[in-house]
Amino acid sequence: MTATAAIFAPRGEVLTGAERQFFHDVDPWGFILFARNIRDATQIRALCGDLRETVGRNAPILIDQEGGRVQRILPPLARRWRPPLTDVARLGPRAVDGMYLRARIMAEELRGFGIDVNCIPTLDVAGEETHEFLRNRCYGETPDQVTEVGRAVVRGLLDGGVLPVMKHMPGHGRGRVDSHLELPHTQVSVHDLRAVDWVPFAALSDVPLGMTAHMIFEAVDPYFPATQSGRMINLIREELGFAGLLMTDDISMEALSGTPGDRARASIAAGCDVVLHCNGYLDEMRDVAENAGRMTEGADLRASAALALRQPAGEVDTEALDAQFEALLAGR
């Protein structure tokens, strides 16, 4: 039997008995961790092991380790990273090399804890009106720069044995509000979206995992956010050429309406492969699991293809990589 089409998050640093039983019974495709799940290295490794034990397989474990405000594992367990846009600006013409090294170091840190998926690169193109919740998480203000840096980040993670998740498809850069709190809209024409916002996602359509945007693109579908829009999911598949596993952004976010089950059901019906639910509330997870259902045959094939890319990383001297990164920042 295929896994439930969901990625769930535990509520605390250790699993409760109820969580163990729920994850065992429901068998979600994967798990995601947050700062609330982090205490120390031994605890993180134990939690990752326990999560995989509940489903009886090497399930993917995700995290958002972007840098800046969105960094779940902090010193002394991991390096403190600046916001991506800050480092891209500091690196200047060395941004591709520098962001590769940054991602490679991140991968080494995460893999050491048992985490094998990082929800980057953020391929949204930053603009003058991009909401502050997102802007400094981006990699640039032009589609070419975002594409080049994004590709470097993908290579760095994969070389370190960690899978990347590109987000937020098909582009969140024109959002003027925080989708954690309300639903962004854009009235920009398809012509302009093709020329800017969609370019990085089309260029990196071979990335194995992608995440949707909770945002309405009125020129394509004025009624539903991309996460729950069949038109937008079809565009992601057909026009942008994305053939990987497509997960929602967190359906706990207030950009979406309805119960967690309603949100999950609408997302799967629109064409998403897997629903991401992050707040760790067991009653909501039960609702999501019931409404998301089991992964389709196509989703299962895409998931298997993605997980097959989890390759062991070779030995690496992280101190040497860090020195190279700092040298690039210093212009040497």
Side-chain angles (χ1 to χ4, degrees):
M1 181 182 293
T2 58
T4 291
I7 299 168
F8 288 135
R11 187 64 193 157
E13 296 173 356
V14 297
L15 295 183
T16 65
E19 286 176 327
R20 287 180 186 274
Q21 190 63 53
F22 171 74
F23 293 147
H24 171 78
D25 293 343
V26 169
D27 187 20
W29 180 70
F31 302 96
I32 186 166
L33 301 183
F34 289 85
R36 67 176 187 265
N37 306 122
I38 306 301
R39 184 176 68 242
D40 57 51
T42 300
Q43 171 266 327
I44 301 171
R45 294 187 194 104
L47 179 58
C48 289
D50 287 347
L51 288 168
R52 291 182 170 118
E53 184 180 11
T54 66
V55 295
R57 56 187 165 81
N58 188 23
I61 296 181
L62 294 70
I63 201 164
D64 292 291
Q65 191 79 344
E66 298 179 11
R69 289 178 296 106
V70 184
Q71 179 169 342
R72 312 305 186 194
I73 305 179
L74 297 168
L77 300 176
R79 291 163 179 78
R80 182 180 294 275
W81 299 100
R82 287 172 288 268
L85 194 60
T86 299
D87 271 353
V88 168
R90 291 183 63 182
L91 287 160
R94 300 168 296 280
V96 168
D97 291 339
M99 294 301 282
Y100 167 85
L101 289 170
R102 176 177 149 133
R104 182 65 183 84
I105 296 166
M106 280 184 176
E108 196 70 15
E109 292 175 334
L110 295 177
R111 198 167 41 80
F113 298 121
I115 299 166
D116 54 11
V117 183
N118 192 4
C119 296
I120 58 173
T122 303
L123 298 184
D124 309 310
V125 180
E128 291 182 0
E129 297 183 337
T130 301
H131 192 277
E132 62 181 0
F133 100 92
L134 178 65
R135 181 175 169 77
N136 68 1
R137 298 164 58 193
C138 300
Y139 296 158
E141 297 181 336
T142 68
D144 288 346
Q145 182 179 39
V146 172
T147 298
E148 292 174 359
V149 173
R151 176 62 72 187
V153 169
V154 166
R155 287 191 297 105
L157 291 180
L158 289 174
D159 286 353
V162 170
L163 297 181
V165 181
M166 63 176 178
K167 60 188 185 185
H168 305 82
M169 301 185 77
H172 210 305
R174 296 185 191 268
R176 299 182 183 182
V177 298
D178 183 349
S179 56
H180 293 84
L181 304 174
E182 53 187 309
L183 179 61
H185 292 240
T186 180
Q187 297 177 333
V188 172
S189 70
V190 168
H191 176 271
D192 288 344
L193 292 167
R194 283 186 178 131
V196 179
D197 306 68
W198 298 347
V199 170
F201 295 101
L204 274 71
S205 61
D206 58 333
V207 172
L209 300 167
M211 180 185 293
T212 61
H214 294 338
M215 181 167 174
I216 287 183
F217 297 82
E218 295 186 11
V220 178
D221 187 339
Y223 304 108
F224 298 101
T227 299
Q228 298 176 335
S229 168
R231 294 180 190 175
M232 290 303 304
I233 302 302
N234 184 66
L235 183 147
I236 288 169
R237 293 297 191 193
E238 299 300 325
E239 180 167 343
L240 304 189
F242 179 64
L245 185 83
L246 186 63
M247 66 185 72
T248 71
D249 201 348
D250 178 17
I251 64 165
S252 303
M253 293 160 61
E254 294 307 312
L256 304 182
S257 60
T259 67
D262 293 337
R263 299 174 185 189
R265 185 170 59 254
S267 301
I268 295 296
C272 291
D273 291 321
V274 177
V275 172
L276 177 64
H277 180 272
C278 297
N279 66 24
Y281 294 131
L282 196 54
D283 57 339
E284 290 193 15
M285 289 192 283
R286 290 194 175 100
D287 193 20
V288 168
E290 181 178 347
N291 284 278
R294 295 283 168 173
M295 294 174 68
T296 66
E297 181 179 359
D300 193 48
L301 289 172
R302 288 186 283 273
S304 297
L307 295 184
L309 297 175
R310 291 186 298 187
Q311 299 297 325
E315 293 292 325
V316 66
D317 183 344
T318 55
E319 290 187 3
L321 293 181
D322 196 50
Q324 293 176 43
F325 177 69
E326 293 298 329
L328 289 175
L329 280 174
R332 298 197 299 273

